[in-house]
Amino acid sequence: MAEVLVYVDHVDGAVRKPTLELLTLARRIGEPVAVALGPGAENTAAALAEHGAVKVLTHDASEYTDYLVVPKVDALQAAVESVSPAAVLVPSSAEGKEVAARLALRIGSGVITDATDLEAGADGPVATQSVFAASFTTKSRVSKGVPVITVKPNSAAVEAAPAAGAVEALSVSFSAQATGTKVTGRTPRESTGRPELTEAAIVVSGGRGVNGAENFALIEALADSLGAAVGASRAAVDAGWYPHTNQVGQTGKSVSPQLYIANGISGAIQHRAGMQTSKTIVAVNKDAEAPIFDLVDYGVVGDLFDVVPQLTEEINTRKG
Ligand SMILES: Cc1cc2nc3c(=O)[nH]c(=O)nc-3n(C[C@H](O)[C@H](O)[C@H](O)COP(=O)(O)OP(=O)(O)OC[C@H]3O[C@@H](n4cnc5c(N)ncnc54)[C@H](O)[C@@H]3O)c2cc1C
């Protein structure tokens, strides 16, 4: 069976969930071979094996932390040359997309970004994408070279599928470009204790209807009852009620959670562009004519100041 390379996103050996989702998709196409780079790469092996990696190619060097993406592209290129895979799958983070695009250029392949699903096809893997502010769903396949495909978080379930996960050292020689862009400083983001917005399985968002920074505490309380990330519309962000890093939409972040709860958000096309691929969409809005109700699975016509606290209380009660 053909091997499929999966680029591992990890922090000091702790594998992030989108990579485990990629392993589920990779198994539809062939045998997953993971590529883990940087500090702690070898510590990823157990989690990757548990989720279907037959092999884990590892390499650590200071270049991965000291310089931006090119050393990683060099390593992935080395992995492609040693494995001749049926595809290369990369998580759709900003860095993942840059790595994928550069790799595709290097190996003369086509690239597909932000896939939301992947299936085996007679002529190579077929990727589903949601395009034009999610007004269309397209299916595409790479017609030249080894397909390089980035996949959005939450596009597949994480499934246990124990495999050998044999660790092998990857031999990498860095290109002249590898040291072109040096990292000069790092400041850790202040942790909110909530999941990362683009990876969260549940996102609870607030819009102009929240009517003030202080009222976002209601949105946060609902989010915390569900273990969710907090999102915001641009109107809320522009008003200074919530940080720009939490903006969902065309000029904010693109999210694709299992559950998206929009509170006091009208559903403008630019907001929809960032959340319309969510699996289940719930909206709370006091205007029954709000466009958000055109795309919801469940809608509550009501004042969020009544509905949200009751919902939070009910969830907390049921959690016991
Ligand atoms: C180039 C461009 C890019 C953009 N990018 C983005 C983007 O990335 N993300 C984004 O979100 N927007 C973006 N916008 C802005 C977008 O067009 C909308 O203006 C914005 O999404 C509106 O935010 P909102 O839904 O919170 O506010 P509104 O459209 O004002 O809607 C507020 C909603 O809250 C409801 N409401 C009010 N009070 C309550 C209450 N007490 N209880 C329940 N419901 C209540 C109202 O009925 C209304 O439907 C962009 C616009 C442009 C031009």
Side-chain angles (χ1 to χ4, degrees), residues 206-210 232-236 247-252 263-271 284-287 290 302-305:
R208 202 193 306 268
V210 174
S233 73
R234 178 156 154 187
Q247 182 182 318
V248 172
Q250 187 185 316
T251 44
N263 302 284
I265 293 177
S266 60
I269 183 86
Q270 296 89 353
H271 187 80
V284 179
N285 196 304
K286 65 180 183 187
D287 176 8
D303 189 321
L304 71 89
F305 293 96

Side-chain angles (χ1 to χ4, degrees), residues 152-219:
K152 277 188 164 191
N154 294 305
S155 295
V158 172
E159 289 166 6
V167 176
E168 280 182 23
L170 180 66
S171 165
V172 181
S173 41
F174 292 117
S175 63
Q177 296 88 346
T179 54
T181 323
K182 189 161 174 45
V183 176
T184 56
R186 280 196 172 83
T187 311
R189 185 167 47 106
E190 242 176 65
S191 172
T192 58
R194 299 192 182 95
E196 156 64 27
L197 182 58
T198 54
E199 295 173 10
I202 305 178
V203 174
V204 177
S205 285
R208 202 193 306 268
V210 174
N211 199 28
E214 64 286 3
N215 298 333
F216 258 86
L218 289 180
I219 304 300

Side-chain angles (χ1 to χ4, degrees), residues 8-16 34-48 56-62 64-65 72 167-168:
V8 177
D9 186 8
H10 71 99
V11 181
D12 296 331
V15 180
R16 301 180 73 168
V35 182
L37 307 171
E42 290 197 1
N43 301 337
T44 61
L48 296 168
V56 182
L57 307 178
T58 63
H59 188 247
D60 188 15
S62 57
Y64 297 120
T65 39
K72 294 169 180 167
V167 176
E168 280 182 23

Side-chain angles (χ1 to χ4, degrees), residues 4-8 19 22-23 26 32-36 48 76 87-90:
V4 177
L5 285 184
V6 170
Y7 176 73
V8 177
T19 300
L22 287 190
L23 290 171
V33 173
V35 182
L48 296 168
L76 262 186
V88 181
L89 306 186
V90 181

Side-chain angles (χ1 to χ4, degrees), residues 8 26 39 42 44 59 70 92 106-107 118 147 149 167 180 191 233 236 240 249 255 264 276 288 290 294:
V8 177
E42 290 197 1
T44 61
H59 188 247
V70 179
S92 261
R106 288 267 191 98
I107 63 177
L118 211 54
I149 302 171
V167 176
S191 172
S233 73
V255 301
Q276 199 163 348
D294 294 342

